[in-house]
Amino acid sequence: MDKYIIDGGKKLYGTVNLQGAKNSVLPLLAGSILTDKPVKIRRVPMISDVENMLRILIELGCKAERDGDCTMIDSANAVSHELPARLTKELRSSVFMLGSVLTRFRRAKIAYPGGCDIGLRPIDLHLKGLQRLGVKIVEENGFISCSADVLKGAEILLDFPSVGATENIILAAVKAEGRTLIRNAAKEPEIVDLQNFLNAMGAKVQGAGGSTIVIDGVKKLHGVEYEAMCDRIEAGTFLIAAATCGGEIETKGLNSENIAALLHKLSENGCKIYTKNDRIILSSTGRLKATDIVETMPFPGFPTDLQAQYSALCCTASGTSLVVENLFETRYKYAAQLKRMGADITVRGRTAVIRGVEKLRGASVTAEDLRGGAALVIAALKAEGKSTVLDLSYVDRGYSEFEHKLKKLGAQIKRVRV
């Protein structure tokens, strides 16, 4: 179990070259099994979630090779429709494999997926959508078994604009007979990326980024070489870190519209922000003012995956901030750790009241989920003195070379193997 040792109080300056988006790359990898031709995906981050997804593909019979940030998948010899339970329990995004494996083999078996413990995250919307396409589902002994002699297009209305359910249905519908309509679809940029990837393989998907997605089934998909979008959550994490600590940083590769809700809040906090094309430049004195309220919402609202990091910023902002988590019910586990550093946080259900303090002090804290771990790193970078952040296995799930990028910005951070 590795840990970070961080000497806080340093401002951050420089440029961040962004990794490929974790939340895009994982569905793209799942989609690679839809064809028996080679697929090459560029800008694939070296994170543990990606490594787990590749292991799943290999166990299904695919060949997977990495060359830097380029990953090659050849599923010509894929034979298994059963996803290995020991891996799916480690990776929430393994659920994306349901739709693509069903499309390839007309059956699929998966253990209930795992990942970070940030709430119930039921997959009932996924299963209801698949059933509308003609899939028979049996749930027993912790496994989900799906089968369909024929996948048929259907009209599907999601009760909630779930990103995972939207993507899973798309993956199941690309080769289904006829037309599929997904209404109340999630609008996240990563869904647009999945649409573009599949269309480059010969699929007919349109409407991603809007509330209605139309998929006209095709008989066959071909291989493709594709570059994943940049990670808006990684960009947001670094921008929040610079806003909290003070300094000036630039991110490259991301359309600012993908994190417009965050940039709006950071402007309210007192940061100066300049955007042009795929560049975002943020400057901050490190002396921020609180905003009245921030609520997580589906895109284009404030991302739940940036809630913890933004809460770390609020800890030293002048005034009182109200943070409301509308998507996941146990996403405040980091709050107790921030209190060890002197933060004034009161959590009641889905709401956190954060009263800004003059300074945080270094402490030993433990990451308990991915984004909460990033929040602890940001708080440690701001705090006076030395901090230790334990259990980096969570942080490694979503951030590639996190400490190296922070070092380049001037942070005093080192990774130590325990």
Coordinates of all heavy atoms in Angstrom, one line a residue, residues 189 232 235-236 239 254-268 273 275 280 299-303 306:
P189 N -20.2 14.3 -22.1 CA -19.3 14.3 -23.2 C -18.7 12.9 -23.5 O -18.4 12.6 -24.7 CB -18.2 15.3 -22.8 CG -18.8 16.2 -21.8 CD -19.8 15.3 -21.0
R232 N -11.9 15.3 -18.4 CA -12.4 16.6 -17.8 C -12.3 16.5 -16.3 O -12.2 17.6 -15.6 CB -13.8 16.9 -18.3 CG -14.8 15.9 -17.9 CD -16.1 16.1 -18.6 NE -17.1 15.0 -18.3 CZ -18.1 15.1 -17.5 NH1 -18.3 16.3 -16.9 NH2 -18.9 14.1 -17.3
A235 N -8.7 17.3 -15.4 CA -8.5 18.8 -15.6 C -9.1 19.5 -14.4 O -8.4 20.4 -13.9 CB -9.1 19.2 -16.9
G236 N -10.3 19.2 -14.1 CA -10.9 19.8 -12.9 C -10.2 19.7 -11.6 O -10.1 20.6 -10.8
L239 N -7.2 22.0 -11.8 CA -7.6 23.4 -11.7 C -8.1 23.8 -10.2 O -7.8 24.9 -9.7 CB -8.8 23.7 -12.7 CG -8.4 23.6 -14.1 CD1 -9.6 23.6 -15.0 CD2 -7.5 24.8 -14.5
L254 N -8.6 20.1 -23.6 CA -10.0 19.9 -23.2 C -10.8 21.2 -23.6 O -10.4 22.3 -23.3 CB -10.1 19.7 -21.7 CG -11.5 19.5 -21.1 CD1 -11.9 18.0 -21.5 CD2 -11.6 19.6 -19.6
N255 N -12.0 20.9 -24.2 CA -12.9 22.0 -24.4 C -13.5 22.5 -23.1 O -14.0 21.7 -22.3 CB -14.0 21.4 -25.3 CG -15.1 22.5 -25.8 OD1 -15.2 23.5 -25.1 ND2 -15.7 22.2 -26.9
S256 N -13.4 23.8 -22.9 CA -13.8 24.3 -21.6 C -15.3 24.1 -21.3 O -15.8 24.1 -20.2 CB -13.5 25.8 -21.5 OG -14.2 26.5 -22.5
E257 N -16.1 23.9 -22.4 CA -17.5 23.7 -22.2 C -17.8 22.4 -21.4 O -18.8 22.2 -20.8 CB -18.2 23.6 -23.6 CG -18.4 24.9 -24.3 CD -19.2 25.9 -23.5 OE1 -20.3 25.5 -23.0 OE2 -18.7 27.1 -23.3
N258 N -16.8 21.5 -21.5 CA -17.0 20.2 -20.8 C -16.9 20.3 -19.3 O -17.4 19.4 -18.5 CB -15.9 19.2 -21.3 CG -16.2 18.7 -22.7 OD1 -17.3 18.9 -23.2 ND2 -15.2 18.0 -23.3
I259 N -16.3 21.4 -18.8 CA -16.3 21.7 -17.3 C -16.8 23.1 -17.0 O -16.3 23.7 -16.1 CB -15.0 21.4 -16.7 CG1 -13.8 22.1 -17.4 CG2 -14.7 19.9 -16.6 CD1 -12.5 22.1 -16.6
A260 N -17.7 23.6 -17.8 CA -18.2 25.0 -17.6 C -18.8 25.2 -16.3 O -18.6 26.3 -15.7 CB -19.2 25.3 -18.7
A261 N -19.5 24.2 -15.7 CA -20.1 24.4 -14.4 C -19.0 24.6 -13.3 O -19.2 25.5 -12.4 CB -20.9 23.2 -14.0
L262 N -17.9 23.9 -13.4 CA -16.8 24.1 -12.4 C -16.2 25.5 -12.6 O -15.9 26.2 -11.7 CB -15.8 23.0 -12.6 CG -14.5 23.3 -11.8 CD1 -14.7 23.2 -10.3 CD2 -13.4 22.3 -12.2
L263 N -15.9 25.8 -13.9 CA -15.2 27.1 -14.2 C -16.1 28.3 -13.7 O -15.5 29.3 -13.1 CB -14.9 27.3 -15.7 CG -14.0 26.2 -16.3 CD1 -13.8 26.5 -17.7 CD2 -12.7 26.2 -15.5
H264 N -17.4 28.1 -13.8 CA -18.3 29.2 -13.3 C -18.1 29.3 -11.7 O -18.0 30.5 -11.2 CB -19.7 28.8 -13.6 CG -20.7 29.8 -13.1 ND1 -20.9 31.1 -13.6 CD2 -21.6 29.7 -12.0 CE1 -21.8 31.7 -12.9 NE2 -22.3 30.9 -12.0
K265 N -18.1 28.2 -11.0 CA -17.9 28.3 -9.6 C -16.5 28.8 -9.2 O -16.4 29.6 -8.2 CB -18.1 26.9 -9.0 CG -19.5 26.4 -8.9 CD -20.4 27.3 -8.0 CE -21.8 26.9 -8.0 NZ -22.6 27.9 -7.2
L266 N -15.5 28.4 -9.9 CA -14.2 28.9 -9.6 C -14.0 30.4 -9.8 O -13.4 31.1 -9.0 CB -13.1 28.2 -10.4 CG -12.9 26.7 -10.1 CD1 -11.9 26.0 -11.0 CD2 -12.5 26.5 -8.6
S267 N -14.8 30.9 -10.8 CA -14.8 32.4 -11.0 C -15.5 33.1 -9.8 O -15.1 34.1 -9.4 CB -15.6 32.7 -12.3 OG -14.8 32.2 -13.4
E268 N -16.6 32.5 -9.3 CA -17.3 33.0 -8.2 C -16.4 33.0 -6.9 O -16.5 33.9 -6.1 CB -18.5 32.2 -7.9 CG -19.7 32.4 -8.9 CD -20.9 31.7 -8.4 OE1 -20.9 30.9 -7.5 OE2 -22.0 31.9 -9.1
I273 N -10.0 33.2 -15.0 CA -9.9 32.1 -15.9 C -10.0 32.6 -17.3 O -10.8 33.5 -17.7 CB -11.1 31.2 -15.6 CG1 -11.0 30.6 -14.2 CG2 -11.2 30.0 -16.7 CD1 -12.3 29.8 -13.8
T275 N -10.0 31.1 -21.4 CA -10.2 29.9 -22.2 C -10.0 30.3 -23.7 O -10.5 31.3 -24.1 CB -11.5 29.2 -22.0 OG1 -12.6 30.1 -22.4 CG2 -11.7 28.9 -20.5
I280 N -7.2 26.0 -21.1 CA -7.8 26.7 -19.9 C -6.7 27.2 -19.0 O -5.8 26.4 -18.6 CB -8.7 25.7 -19.2 CG1 -9.8 25.1 -20.1 CG2 -9.3 26.4 -18.0 CD1 -10.6 24.0 -19.4
F299 N -24.7 16.1 -16.3 CA -24.2 17.0 -17.2 C -25.3 17.7 -17.9 O -26.3 17.1 -18.3 CB -23.3 16.3 -18.2 CG -22.5 17.2 -19.1 CD1 -21.3 17.8 -18.7 CD2 -23.0 17.6 -20.4 CE1 -20.6 18.7 -19.6 CE2 -22.4 18.5 -21.2 CZ -21.1 19.0 -20.8
P300 N -25.3 19.1 -18.1 CA -24.1 19.9 -17.9 C -24.0 20.6 -16.5 O -23.3 21.6 -16.4 CB -24.4 21.0 -19.0 CG -25.9 21.1 -19.0 CD -26.4 19.8 -18.8
G301 N -24.6 20.0 -15.5 CA -24.5 20.5 -14.2 C -23.1 20.2 -13.6 O -22.2 19.6 -14.2
F302 N -23.0 20.5 -12.3 CA -21.7 20.3 -11.6 C -21.4 18.8 -11.4 O -22.3 18.1 -10.9 CB -21.7 21.0 -10.2 CG -20.3 21.1 -9.6 CD1 -19.6 22.3 -9.8 CD2 -19.8 20.1 -8.9 CE1 -18.4 22.4 -9.2 CE2 -18.5 20.2 -8.3 CZ -17.8 21.4 -8.5
P303 N -20.3 18.3 -11.8 CA -20.0 16.9 -11.8 C -19.9 16.3 -10.4 O -19.1 16.8 -9.6 CB -18.7 16.7 -12.6 CG -18.4 18.0 -13.3 CD -19.1 19.1 -12.4
L306 N -16.3 15.7 -9.2 CA -15.5 16.8 -8.7 C -16.0 17.4 -7.4 O -15.4 18.4 -6.9 CB -15.5 17.9 -9.8 CG -14.6 17.6 -11.0 CD1 -14.8 18.8 -12.1 CD2 -13.2 17.4 -10.7

